[in-house]
Short mmCIF file of all heavy atoms in Angstrom, two decimals:
data_model
loop_
_atom_site.label_atom_id
_atom_site.label_comp_id
_atom_site.label_asym_id
_atom_site.label_seq_id
_atom_site.Cartn_x
_atom_site.Cartn_y
_atom_site.Cartn_z
N PHE A 864 -23.02 9.40 17.82
CA PHE A 864 -22.72 9.94 19.13
C PHE A 864 -23.75 10.97 19.56
O PHE A 864 -24.19 10.97 20.71
CB PHE A 864 -21.34 10.54 19.11
CG PHE A 864 -20.23 9.55 19.02
CD1 PHE A 864 -19.02 9.86 18.36
CD2 PHE A 864 -20.34 8.28 19.58
CE1 PHE A 864 -17.99 8.95 18.25
CE2 PHE A 864 -19.30 7.37 19.50
CZ PHE A 864 -18.13 7.70 18.82
N ARG A 865 -24.14 11.83 18.63
CA ARG A 865 -25.13 12.87 18.99
C ARG A 865 -26.49 12.22 19.37
O ARG A 865 -27.21 12.72 20.23
CB ARG A 865 -25.35 13.83 17.82
CG ARG A 865 -24.10 14.71 17.52
CD ARG A 865 -24.43 15.76 16.50
NE ARG A 865 -23.23 16.55 16.18
CZ ARG A 865 -22.51 16.36 15.06
NH1 ARG A 865 -22.84 15.47 14.19
NH2 ARG A 865 -21.44 17.12 14.85
N HIS A 866 -26.81 11.10 18.69
CA HIS A 866 -28.09 10.44 18.96
C HIS A 866 -28.10 9.79 20.36
O HIS A 866 -29.13 9.83 21.04
CB HIS A 866 -28.37 9.39 17.91
CG HIS A 866 -28.79 9.96 16.59
ND1 HIS A 866 -29.73 10.94 16.47
CD2 HIS A 866 -28.42 9.65 15.31
CE1 HIS A 866 -29.90 11.27 15.20
NE2 HIS A 866 -29.13 10.48 14.47
N VAL A 867 -26.98 9.17 20.75
CA VAL A 867 -27.02 8.40 21.99
C VAL A 867 -26.67 9.24 23.20
O VAL A 867 -26.93 8.79 24.35
CB VAL A 867 -26.08 7.17 21.91
CG1 VAL A 867 -26.54 6.23 20.82
CG2 VAL A 867 -24.64 7.59 21.72
N ILE A 868 -26.04 10.44 23.01
CA ILE A 868 -25.74 11.32 24.15
C ILE A 868 -26.96 12.17 24.39
O ILE A 868 -27.21 13.16 23.66
CB ILE A 868 -24.51 12.18 23.88
CG1 ILE A 868 -23.27 11.28 23.71
CG2 ILE A 868 -24.28 13.14 25.06
CD1 ILE A 868 -22.00 12.04 23.30
N GLU A 869 -27.76 11.85 25.35
CA GLU A 869 -28.99 12.60 25.62
C GLU A 869 -28.69 13.93 26.31
O GLU A 869 -29.09 15.00 25.88
CB GLU A 869 -29.94 11.77 26.46
CG GLU A 869 -30.44 10.52 25.74
CD GLU A 869 -31.38 9.71 26.60
OE1 GLU A 869 -31.27 9.79 27.85
OE2 GLU A 869 -32.24 9.00 26.06
N ASP A 870 -28.02 13.86 27.43
CA ASP A 870 -27.66 15.05 28.18
C ASP A 870 -26.64 14.63 29.24
O ASP A 870 -25.89 13.64 29.01
CB ASP A 870 -28.91 15.67 28.84
CG ASP A 870 -29.77 14.63 29.50
OD1 ASP A 870 -29.22 13.72 30.15
OD2 ASP A 870 -31.00 14.68 29.38
N ASP A 871 -26.61 15.31 30.34
CA ASP A 871 -25.64 14.94 31.40
C ASP A 871 -25.93 13.59 32.03
O ASP A 871 -25.09 13.06 32.77
CB ASP A 871 -25.62 16.02 32.50
CG ASP A 871 -25.12 17.35 31.98
OD1 ASP A 871 -24.38 17.32 30.96
OD2 ASP A 871 -25.41 18.41 32.58
N THR A 872 -27.08 13.01 31.75
CA THR A 872 -27.42 11.70 32.37
C THR A 872 -26.68 10.60 31.66
O THR A 872 -26.64 9.46 32.21
CB THR A 872 -28.91 11.47 32.28
OG1 THR A 872 -29.33 11.40 30.89
CG2 THR A 872 -29.70 12.58 32.97
N THR A 873 -26.13 10.77 30.48
CA THR A 873 -25.36 9.75 29.79
C THR A 873 -23.92 9.84 30.25
O THR A 873 -23.19 10.76 29.82
CB THR A 873 -25.46 9.91 28.28
OG1 THR A 873 -26.84 9.89 27.88
CG2 THR A 873 -24.74 8.78 27.56
N SER A 874 -23.48 8.90 31.09
CA SER A 874 -22.13 9.02 31.65
C SER A 874 -21.04 8.53 30.70
O SER A 874 -19.91 9.01 30.69
CB SER A 874 -22.02 8.19 32.93
OG SER A 874 -22.29 6.79 32.67
N ALA A 875 -21.42 7.59 29.80
CA ALA A 875 -20.43 7.05 28.88
C ALA A 875 -21.13 6.48 27.63
O ALA A 875 -22.31 6.13 27.66
CB ALA A 875 -19.59 5.95 29.55
N VAL A 876 -20.34 6.42 26.58
CA VAL A 876 -20.81 5.81 25.32
C VAL A 876 -19.80 4.75 24.91
O VAL A 876 -18.57 4.99 24.92
CB VAL A 876 -20.92 6.89 24.21
CG1 VAL A 876 -21.20 6.19 22.84
CG2 VAL A 876 -22.02 7.86 24.51
N ALA A 877 -20.32 3.55 24.57
CA ALA A 877 -19.45 2.43 24.26
C ALA A 877 -19.50 2.18 22.74
O ALA A 877 -20.58 2.22 22.16
CB ALA A 877 -19.86 1.20 25.00
N VAL A 878 -18.33 1.91 22.16
CA VAL A 878 -18.25 1.49 20.77
C VAL A 878 -17.70 0.08 20.73
O VAL A 878 -16.60 -0.18 21.21
CB VAL A 878 -17.31 2.41 19.93
CG1 VAL A 878 -17.14 1.92 18.54
CG2 VAL A 878 -17.86 3.82 19.93
N THR A 879 -18.51 -0.83 20.21
CA THR A 879 -18.05 -2.24 20.07
C THR A 879 -18.15 -2.62 18.60
O THR A 879 -18.95 -2.08 17.83
CB THR A 879 -18.95 -3.19 20.89
OG1 THR A 879 -20.34 -3.02 20.50
CG2 THR A 879 -18.86 -2.88 22.38
N ALA A 880 -17.29 -3.55 18.19
CA ALA A 880 -17.25 -3.95 16.76
C ALA A 880 -16.84 -5.39 16.65
O ALA A 880 -16.01 -5.89 17.41
CB ALA A 880 -16.33 -3.03 16.02
N THR A 881 -17.40 -6.05 15.63
CA THR A 881 -17.01 -7.41 15.25
C THR A 881 -16.71 -7.32 13.72
O THR A 881 -16.73 -6.26 13.16
CB THR A 881 -18.08 -8.46 15.52
OG1 THR A 881 -19.19 -8.24 14.62
CG2 THR A 881 -18.54 -8.35 16.98
N ASN A 882 -16.44 -8.50 13.15
CA ASN A 882 -16.11 -8.46 11.71
C ASN A 882 -17.39 -8.36 10.84
O ASN A 882 -17.27 -8.44 9.61
CB ASN A 882 -15.33 -9.73 11.31
CG ASN A 882 -16.09 -11.00 11.64
OD1 ASN A 882 -17.22 -10.97 12.08
ND2 ASN A 882 -15.45 -12.12 11.40
N GLU A 883 -18.57 -8.19 11.45
CA GLU A 883 -19.77 -8.04 10.66
C GLU A 883 -20.72 -6.94 11.13
O GLU A 883 -21.72 -6.68 10.51
CB GLU A 883 -20.56 -9.35 10.62
CG GLU A 883 -21.00 -9.83 11.95
CD GLU A 883 -21.73 -11.18 11.89
OE1 GLU A 883 -21.66 -11.86 10.87
OE2 GLU A 883 -22.42 -11.51 12.90
N ARG A 884 -20.39 -6.26 12.22
CA ARG A 884 -21.23 -5.24 12.77
C ARG A 884 -20.49 -4.34 13.73
O ARG A 884 -19.40 -4.71 14.22
CB ARG A 884 -22.42 -5.86 13.48
CG ARG A 884 -22.11 -6.49 14.81
CD ARG A 884 -23.25 -7.25 15.41
NE ARG A 884 -23.49 -8.45 14.63
CZ ARG A 884 -24.70 -9.01 14.43
NH1 ARG A 884 -25.73 -8.43 14.94
NH2 ARG A 884 -24.82 -10.13 13.75
N PHE A 885 -21.01 -3.14 13.98
CA PHE A 885 -20.47 -2.32 15.05
C PHE A 885 -21.65 -1.58 15.67
O PHE A 885 -22.68 -1.31 15.03
CB PHE A 885 -19.38 -1.34 14.59
CG PHE A 885 -19.77 -0.39 13.51
CD1 PHE A 885 -20.40 0.81 13.81
CD2 PHE A 885 -19.49 -0.67 12.18
CE1 PHE A 885 -20.79 1.67 12.79
CE2 PHE A 885 -19.85 0.21 11.16
CZ PHE A 885 -20.49 1.39 11.48
N THR A 886 -21.47 -1.23 16.99
CA THR A 886 -22.58 -0.67 17.74
C THR A 886 -22.07 0.51 18.57
O THR A 886 -20.98 0.50 19.12
CB THR A 886 -23.18 -1.69 18.73
OG1 THR A 886 -23.67 -2.80 17.99
CG2 THR A 886 -24.26 -1.10 19.57
N VAL A 887 -22.88 1.59 18.59
CA VAL A 887 -22.62 2.72 19.47
C VAL A 887 -23.79 2.77 20.43
O VAL A 887 -24.95 2.82 20.02
CB VAL A 887 -22.57 4.04 18.63
CG1 VAL A 887 -22.47 5.22 19.59
CG2 VAL A 887 -21.39 4.03 17.69
N ALA A 888 -23.51 2.74 21.74
CA ALA A 888 -24.58 2.60 22.74
C ALA A 888 -24.27 3.36 23.98
O ALA A 888 -23.08 3.59 24.32
CB ALA A 888 -24.80 1.11 23.05
N GLN A 889 -25.33 3.70 24.70
CA GLN A 889 -25.16 4.28 26.05
C GLN A 889 -24.60 3.22 26.97
O GLN A 889 -24.95 2.02 26.89
CB GLN A 889 -26.51 4.79 26.57
CG GLN A 889 -27.10 5.90 25.74
CD GLN A 889 -28.53 6.17 26.06
OE1 GLN A 889 -29.22 5.39 26.75
NE2 GLN A 889 -29.06 7.28 25.55
N HIS A 890 -23.69 3.65 27.87
CA HIS A 890 -22.96 2.70 28.70
C HIS A 890 -22.93 3.25 30.15
O HIS A 890 -22.74 4.43 30.37
CB HIS A 890 -21.54 2.53 28.20
CG HIS A 890 -20.75 1.49 28.93
ND1 HIS A 890 -21.01 0.13 28.80
CD2 HIS A 890 -19.68 1.58 29.77
CE1 HIS A 890 -20.15 -0.55 29.54
NE2 HIS A 890 -19.34 0.30 30.13
#
Side-chain angles (χ1 to χ4, degrees):
F864 290 146
R865 293 188 183 101
H866 285 314
V867 299
I868 298 175
E869 293 180 333
D870 46 42
D871 294 339
T872 61
T873 304
S874 62
V876 171
V878 175
T879 56
T881 69
N882 59 3
E883 61 181 16
R884 73 188 71 213
F885 59 84
T886 300
V887 174
Q889 295 167 350
H890 185 70

